[in-house]
Short mmCIF file of all heavy atoms in Angstrom, two decimals:
data_model
loop_
_atom_site.label_atom_id
_atom_site.label_comp_id
_atom_site.label_asym_id
_atom_site.label_seq_id
_atom_site.Cartn_x
_atom_site.Cartn_y
_atom_site.Cartn_z
N LEU A 1 -77.82 29.26 -51.87
CA LEU A 1 -78.85 30.22 -52.55
C LEU A 1 -79.71 30.63 -51.46
O LEU A 1 -80.50 29.91 -50.94
CB LEU A 1 -79.51 29.56 -53.68
CG LEU A 1 -78.73 29.00 -54.80
CD1 LEU A 1 -79.56 28.32 -55.83
CD2 LEU A 1 -77.74 30.05 -55.44
N TYR A 2 -79.69 31.96 -51.14
CA TYR A 2 -80.70 32.45 -50.06
C TYR A 2 -80.54 34.03 -50.07
O TYR A 2 -79.60 34.55 -50.54
CB TYR A 2 -80.32 31.85 -48.75
CG TYR A 2 -78.97 32.36 -48.21
CD1 TYR A 2 -78.83 33.26 -47.22
CD2 TYR A 2 -77.81 31.73 -48.81
CE1 TYR A 2 -77.61 33.63 -46.76
CE2 TYR A 2 -76.50 32.09 -48.23
CZ TYR A 2 -76.41 33.05 -47.26
OH TYR A 2 -75.17 33.48 -46.84
N ARG A 3 -81.51 34.64 -49.46
CA ARG A 3 -81.52 35.98 -49.16
C ARG A 3 -81.46 36.24 -47.68
O ARG A 3 -82.42 35.64 -46.92
CB ARG A 3 -82.70 36.72 -49.70
CG ARG A 3 -82.73 36.99 -51.16
CD ARG A 3 -83.95 37.84 -51.52
NE ARG A 3 -83.97 38.47 -52.86
CZ ARG A 3 -84.61 37.87 -53.82
NH1 ARG A 3 -85.33 36.73 -53.59
NH2 ARG A 3 -84.64 38.40 -55.05
N MET A 4 -80.53 36.91 -47.06
CA MET A 4 -80.45 37.17 -45.63
C MET A 4 -80.01 38.56 -45.43
O MET A 4 -79.01 39.02 -45.93
CB MET A 4 -79.52 36.01 -44.94
CG MET A 4 -79.55 36.21 -43.41
SD MET A 4 -78.44 35.14 -42.63
CE MET A 4 -79.30 33.53 -42.71
N ASP A 5 -80.60 39.15 -44.41
CA ASP A 5 -80.09 40.39 -43.85
C ASP A 5 -79.19 40.03 -42.73
O ASP A 5 -79.55 39.73 -41.62
CB ASP A 5 -81.23 41.29 -43.46
CG ASP A 5 -80.77 42.68 -43.06
OD1 ASP A 5 -79.53 42.87 -42.75
OD2 ASP A 5 -81.65 43.60 -42.98
N TYR A 6 -77.92 40.08 -42.90
CA TYR A 6 -76.91 39.76 -41.91
C TYR A 6 -76.92 40.73 -40.76
O TYR A 6 -76.47 40.33 -39.64
CB TYR A 6 -75.49 39.64 -42.53
CG TYR A 6 -75.37 38.73 -43.55
CD1 TYR A 6 -74.67 39.04 -44.80
CD2 TYR A 6 -75.81 37.40 -43.61
CE1 TYR A 6 -74.43 38.15 -45.85
CE2 TYR A 6 -75.65 36.51 -44.64
CZ TYR A 6 -74.95 36.87 -45.81
OH TYR A 6 -74.77 36.06 -46.77
N ARG A 7 -77.44 41.89 -40.90
CA ARG A 7 -77.52 42.80 -39.81
C ARG A 7 -78.39 42.35 -38.75
O ARG A 7 -78.11 42.57 -37.46
CB ARG A 7 -78.03 44.21 -40.34
CG ARG A 7 -77.17 44.99 -41.24
CD ARG A 7 -77.80 46.04 -41.84
NE ARG A 7 -78.81 45.71 -42.73
CZ ARG A 7 -79.38 46.57 -43.65
NH1 ARG A 7 -78.99 47.75 -43.78
NH2 ARG A 7 -80.41 46.11 -44.45
N LYS A 8 -79.48 41.59 -39.04
CA LYS A 8 -80.39 41.06 -37.99
C LYS A 8 -79.67 39.98 -37.27
O LYS A 8 -79.74 39.84 -36.02
CB LYS A 8 -81.60 40.46 -38.61
CG LYS A 8 -82.51 41.53 -39.33
CD LYS A 8 -83.73 40.90 -39.90
CE LYS A 8 -84.61 41.91 -40.53
NZ LYS A 8 -85.81 41.41 -41.25
N MET A 9 -78.92 39.07 -37.91
CA MET A 9 -78.15 38.08 -37.29
C MET A 9 -77.03 38.68 -36.23
O MET A 9 -76.79 38.26 -35.15
CB MET A 9 -77.39 37.24 -38.24
CG MET A 9 -76.67 36.03 -37.63
SD MET A 9 -76.04 34.85 -38.91
CE MET A 9 -75.15 33.67 -37.94
N LEU A 10 -76.37 39.71 -36.78
CA LEU A 10 -75.32 40.43 -36.01
C LEU A 10 -75.94 41.08 -34.80
O LEU A 10 -75.35 41.09 -33.72
CB LEU A 10 -74.62 41.44 -36.82
CG LEU A 10 -73.48 42.33 -36.22
CD1 LEU A 10 -72.41 41.39 -35.79
CD2 LEU A 10 -73.02 43.35 -37.21
N LYS A 11 -77.11 41.68 -34.99
CA LYS A 11 -77.81 42.38 -33.83
C LYS A 11 -78.07 41.17 -32.70
O LYS A 11 -77.88 41.54 -31.51
CB LYS A 11 -79.13 42.98 -34.30
CG LYS A 11 -79.93 43.67 -33.24
CD LYS A 11 -81.07 44.32 -33.81
CE LYS A 11 -81.91 45.17 -32.79
NZ LYS A 11 -82.72 44.20 -31.96
N THR A 12 -78.60 40.13 -33.09
CA THR A 12 -78.84 38.95 -32.22
C THR A 12 -77.54 38.60 -31.47
O THR A 12 -77.58 38.44 -30.29
CB THR A 12 -79.48 37.79 -32.91
OG1 THR A 12 -80.66 38.20 -33.50
CG2 THR A 12 -79.63 36.63 -31.91
N HIS A 13 -76.47 38.53 -32.16
CA HIS A 13 -75.21 38.06 -31.54
C HIS A 13 -74.69 39.13 -30.62
O HIS A 13 -74.30 38.72 -29.45
CB HIS A 13 -74.15 38.08 -32.76
CG HIS A 13 -72.75 37.70 -32.29
ND1 HIS A 13 -72.38 36.38 -32.20
CD2 HIS A 13 -71.75 38.53 -31.93
CE1 HIS A 13 -71.05 36.49 -31.77
NE2 HIS A 13 -70.71 37.62 -31.65
N ILE A 14 -74.91 40.40 -30.94
CA ILE A 14 -74.46 41.43 -29.97
C ILE A 14 -75.34 41.49 -28.70
O ILE A 14 -74.90 41.56 -27.64
CB ILE A 14 -74.49 42.81 -30.62
CG1 ILE A 14 -73.41 42.86 -31.75
CG2 ILE A 14 -74.25 43.99 -29.73
CD1 ILE A 14 -73.46 44.10 -32.67
N GLU A 15 -76.64 41.32 -28.92
CA GLU A 15 -77.56 41.31 -27.78
C GLU A 15 -77.31 40.18 -26.84
O GLU A 15 -77.46 40.24 -25.64
CB GLU A 15 -78.98 41.26 -28.27
CG GLU A 15 -79.52 42.56 -28.92
CD GLU A 15 -80.80 42.44 -29.56
OE1 GLU A 15 -81.38 41.38 -29.73
OE2 GLU A 15 -81.34 43.55 -29.91
N ASN A 16 -76.91 39.03 -27.32
CA ASN A 16 -76.61 37.88 -26.49
C ASN A 16 -75.27 37.92 -25.85
O ASN A 16 -74.73 37.01 -25.19
CB ASN A 16 -76.83 36.54 -27.30
CG ASN A 16 -78.25 36.30 -27.66
OD1 ASN A 16 -79.11 36.60 -26.82
ND2 ASN A 16 -78.49 35.59 -28.70
N ASN A 17 -74.38 38.91 -26.36
CA ASN A 17 -73.03 38.92 -25.90
C ASN A 17 -72.40 37.58 -26.27
O ASN A 17 -71.61 36.96 -25.37
CB ASN A 17 -72.95 39.22 -24.37
CG ASN A 17 -71.53 39.71 -24.03
OD1 ASN A 17 -70.67 40.19 -24.82
ND2 ASN A 17 -71.14 39.45 -22.77
N ALA A 18 -72.54 37.02 -27.42
CA ALA A 18 -72.15 35.78 -27.83
C ALA A 18 -70.82 35.76 -28.32
O ALA A 18 -70.13 36.68 -28.77
CB ALA A 18 -73.10 35.17 -28.81
N ASP A 19 -70.15 34.65 -28.13
CA ASP A 19 -68.83 34.28 -28.70
C ASP A 19 -69.02 33.81 -30.22
O ASP A 19 -68.18 34.04 -31.04
CB ASP A 19 -68.08 33.18 -28.01
CG ASP A 19 -67.64 33.68 -26.51
OD1 ASP A 19 -66.87 34.62 -26.48
OD2 ASP A 19 -68.13 33.06 -25.65
N LEU A 20 -70.12 33.13 -30.44
CA LEU A 20 -70.38 32.44 -31.82
C LEU A 20 -71.98 32.49 -31.86
O LEU A 20 -72.61 32.10 -30.99
CB LEU A 20 -69.79 31.22 -31.91
CG LEU A 20 -70.21 30.34 -33.09
CD1 LEU A 20 -69.88 31.05 -34.43
CD2 LEU A 20 -69.71 28.92 -33.06
N THR A 21 -72.47 32.94 -33.07
CA THR A 21 -73.85 32.70 -33.45
C THR A 21 -73.90 32.03 -34.72
O THR A 21 -73.19 32.32 -35.68
CB THR A 21 -74.55 34.09 -33.63
OG1 THR A 21 -74.46 34.68 -32.37
CG2 THR A 21 -76.07 33.83 -33.93
N VAL A 22 -74.70 30.87 -34.82
CA VAL A 22 -74.88 30.00 -35.93
C VAL A 22 -76.22 30.16 -36.50
O VAL A 22 -77.22 30.08 -35.79
CB VAL A 22 -74.56 28.51 -35.54
CG1 VAL A 22 -74.63 27.60 -36.75
CG2 VAL A 22 -73.17 28.40 -34.84
N SER A 23 -76.31 30.49 -37.82
CA SER A 23 -77.61 30.49 -38.49
C SER A 23 -78.11 29.15 -38.73
O SER A 23 -77.32 28.32 -39.16
CB SER A 23 -77.42 31.27 -39.81
OG SER A 23 -78.75 31.46 -40.34
N VAL A 24 -79.41 29.02 -38.35
CA VAL A 24 -79.94 27.59 -38.36
C VAL A 24 -81.34 27.60 -39.03
O VAL A 24 -82.01 28.61 -39.03
CB VAL A 24 -80.02 26.87 -36.99
CG1 VAL A 24 -78.59 26.84 -36.30
CG2 VAL A 24 -81.05 27.64 -36.13
N MET A 25 -81.69 26.46 -39.47
CA MET A 25 -83.11 26.09 -40.00
C MET A 25 -83.36 24.66 -39.94
O MET A 25 -82.42 23.88 -40.08
CB MET A 25 -83.40 26.78 -41.35
CG MET A 25 -82.56 26.12 -42.46
SD MET A 25 -82.97 26.94 -44.03
CE MET A 25 -84.71 26.96 -44.09
N PRO A 26 -84.61 24.27 -39.68
CA PRO A 26 -84.92 22.85 -39.79
C PRO A 26 -84.81 22.29 -41.22
O PRO A 26 -85.16 22.94 -42.17
CB PRO A 26 -86.37 22.75 -39.21
CG PRO A 26 -86.90 24.13 -39.54
CD PRO A 26 -85.73 25.15 -39.41
N VAL A 27 -84.33 20.98 -41.38
CA VAL A 27 -84.26 20.44 -42.57
C VAL A 27 -85.07 19.02 -42.47
O VAL A 27 -85.41 18.65 -41.36
CB VAL A 27 -82.69 20.08 -42.97
CG1 VAL A 27 -82.00 21.46 -43.08
CG2 VAL A 27 -82.11 19.29 -41.97
N PRO A 28 -85.39 18.54 -43.63
CA PRO A 28 -86.14 17.21 -43.57
C PRO A 28 -85.19 16.23 -42.86
O PRO A 28 -83.97 16.09 -43.03
CB PRO A 28 -86.23 16.81 -45.01
CG PRO A 28 -86.30 18.09 -45.73
CD PRO A 28 -85.31 18.98 -44.97
N TRP A 29 -85.87 15.36 -42.03
CA TRP A 29 -85.18 14.38 -41.21
C TRP A 29 -84.13 13.48 -42.01
O TRP A 29 -83.11 13.18 -41.74
CB TRP A 29 -86.11 13.52 -40.39
CG TRP A 29 -86.46 14.18 -39.15
CD1 TRP A 29 -87.60 14.96 -38.93
CD2 TRP A 29 -85.74 14.17 -37.95
NE1 TRP A 29 -87.69 15.42 -37.62
CE2 TRP A 29 -86.56 15.02 -36.94
CE3 TRP A 29 -84.60 13.68 -37.44
CZ2 TRP A 29 -86.05 15.12 -35.62
CZ3 TRP A 29 -84.11 13.87 -36.14
CH2 TRP A 29 -84.89 14.60 -35.21
N GLU A 30 -84.72 13.21 -43.26
CA GLU A 30 -83.91 12.28 -44.16
C GLU A 30 -82.66 12.88 -44.60
O GLU A 30 -81.75 12.17 -45.12
CB GLU A 30 -84.81 11.63 -45.36
CG GLU A 30 -85.25 12.70 -46.16
CD GLU A 30 -86.63 13.35 -45.90
OE1 GLU A 30 -86.98 13.18 -44.61
OE2 GLU A 30 -87.37 13.84 -46.78
N GLU A 31 -82.53 14.18 -44.57
CA GLU A 31 -81.41 14.98 -44.99
C GLU A 31 -80.46 15.47 -43.81
O GLU A 31 -79.40 15.96 -44.16
CB GLU A 31 -81.79 16.14 -45.80
CG GLU A 31 -82.55 15.76 -47.18
CD GLU A 31 -82.88 17.09 -47.89
OE1 GLU A 31 -82.38 18.16 -47.59
OE2 GLU A 31 -83.66 16.86 -48.84
N ALA A 32 -81.02 15.14 -42.63
CA ALA A 32 -80.21 15.79 -41.47
C ALA A 32 -78.81 15.23 -41.34
O ALA A 32 -77.95 16.05 -40.83
CB ALA A 32 -80.97 15.59 -40.21
N SER A 33 -78.52 14.10 -41.75
CA SER A 33 -77.14 13.64 -41.65
C SER A 33 -76.11 14.30 -42.53
O SER A 33 -74.96 14.05 -42.42
CB SER A 33 -77.16 11.98 -41.86
OG SER A 33 -77.55 11.79 -43.17
N ARG A 34 -76.56 15.18 -43.46
CA ARG A 34 -75.67 15.91 -44.33
C ARG A 34 -75.20 17.24 -43.67
O ARG A 34 -74.24 17.85 -44.27
CB ARG A 34 -76.43 16.30 -45.66
CG ARG A 34 -76.83 15.08 -46.67
CD ARG A 34 -77.48 15.48 -47.82
NE ARG A 34 -76.85 16.72 -48.32
CZ ARG A 34 -77.52 17.72 -48.84
NH1 ARG A 34 -78.85 17.69 -48.85
NH2 ARG A 34 -76.87 18.62 -49.54
N PHE A 35 -75.72 17.50 -42.46
CA PHE A 35 -75.47 18.86 -41.98
C PHE A 35 -74.88 18.72 -40.57
O PHE A 35 -74.94 17.69 -39.99
CB PHE A 35 -76.74 19.61 -41.93
CG PHE A 35 -77.38 19.96 -43.21
CD1 PHE A 35 -78.40 19.07 -43.74
CD2 PHE A 35 -77.09 21.03 -44.04
CE1 PHE A 35 -78.99 19.35 -45.04
CE2 PHE A 35 -77.72 21.29 -45.25
CZ PHE A 35 -78.56 20.44 -45.75
N GLY A 36 -74.40 19.89 -40.09
CA GLY A 36 -74.04 20.09 -38.69
C GLY A 36 -75.42 20.21 -38.05
O GLY A 36 -76.23 21.06 -38.25
N ILE A 37 -75.72 19.40 -37.02
CA ILE A 37 -76.90 19.26 -36.34
C ILE A 37 -76.77 19.72 -34.82
O ILE A 37 -75.76 19.24 -34.15
CB ILE A 37 -77.55 17.83 -36.38
CG1 ILE A 37 -77.78 17.50 -37.86
CG2 ILE A 37 -78.72 17.83 -35.53
CD1 ILE A 37 -78.90 18.48 -38.56
N MET A 38 -77.71 20.40 -34.29
CA MET A 38 -77.59 20.98 -32.88
C MET A 38 -78.77 20.83 -32.11
O MET A 38 -79.86 20.67 -32.74
CB MET A 38 -76.96 22.40 -32.90
CG MET A 38 -78.00 23.38 -33.42
SD MET A 38 -77.01 24.86 -34.00
CE MET A 38 -76.32 24.35 -35.43
N ALA A 39 -78.59 20.96 -30.94
CA ALA A 39 -79.79 21.20 -29.92
C ALA A 39 -79.66 22.47 -29.24
O ALA A 39 -78.47 22.90 -28.96
CB ALA A 39 -79.80 20.05 -28.88
N VAL A 40 -80.73 23.14 -28.88
CA VAL A 40 -80.62 24.46 -28.24
C VAL A 40 -81.67 24.39 -27.05
O VAL A 40 -82.54 23.61 -26.93
CB VAL A 40 -81.10 25.59 -29.13
CG1 VAL A 40 -79.98 25.64 -30.23
CG2 VAL A 40 -82.45 25.42 -29.62
N ASP A 41 -81.33 25.29 -26.04
CA ASP A 41 -82.27 25.39 -24.95
C ASP A 41 -83.35 26.49 -25.13
O ASP A 41 -83.51 26.94 -26.26
CB ASP A 41 -81.45 25.72 -23.61
CG ASP A 41 -80.83 27.03 -23.66
OD1 ASP A 41 -81.08 27.99 -24.43
OD2 ASP A 41 -79.87 27.28 -22.74
N GLU A 42 -84.05 26.76 -24.14
CA GLU A 42 -85.23 27.67 -24.27
C GLU A 42 -84.80 29.12 -24.72
O GLU A 42 -85.62 29.93 -25.18
CB GLU A 42 -86.05 27.91 -23.02
CG GLU A 42 -85.34 28.39 -21.83
CD GLU A 42 -84.50 27.22 -21.07
OE1 GLU A 42 -84.30 26.22 -21.62
OE2 GLU A 42 -84.02 27.59 -19.92
N ASN A 43 -83.51 29.47 -24.49
CA ASN A 43 -82.94 30.76 -24.87
C ASN A 43 -82.19 30.76 -26.19
O ASN A 43 -81.51 31.72 -26.52
CB ASN A 43 -82.11 31.36 -23.75
CG ASN A 43 -82.84 31.48 -22.49
OD1 ASN A 43 -83.99 32.12 -22.52
ND2 ASN A 43 -82.31 31.07 -21.40
N ASP A 44 -82.25 29.54 -26.81
CA ASP A 44 -81.59 29.34 -28.18
C ASP A 44 -79.99 29.35 -27.98
O ASP A 44 -79.27 29.45 -28.91
CB ASP A 44 -81.90 30.44 -29.20
CG ASP A 44 -83.32 30.24 -29.84
OD1 ASP A 44 -83.64 29.09 -29.98
OD2 ASP A 44 -83.88 31.35 -30.07
N MET A 45 -79.60 29.03 -26.76
CA MET A 45 -78.11 28.73 -26.55
C MET A 45 -77.82 27.31 -27.05
O MET A 45 -78.63 26.36 -26.70
CB MET A 45 -77.82 28.84 -25.06
CG MET A 45 -76.31 28.58 -24.82
SD MET A 45 -75.71 28.88 -23.18
CE MET A 45 -75.45 30.63 -23.25
N ILE A 46 -76.82 27.10 -27.72
CA ILE A 46 -76.55 25.73 -28.26
C ILE A 46 -75.99 24.94 -27.22
O ILE A 46 -75.00 25.27 -26.50
CB ILE A 46 -75.52 25.85 -29.41
CG1 ILE A 46 -76.02 26.66 -30.57
CG2 ILE A 46 -75.07 24.52 -29.85
CD1 ILE A 46 -75.00 27.07 -31.63
#
């Protein structure tokens, strides 16, 4: 359940010339083990 303008995500993907862009958000630490978890650099590269 969410509202998202996918055009903004697609625009970011194109600007980065990415192979893959993953939509992310922080979750409570106690729930983190239920999700795919990642680290990113200063440019948001995974």
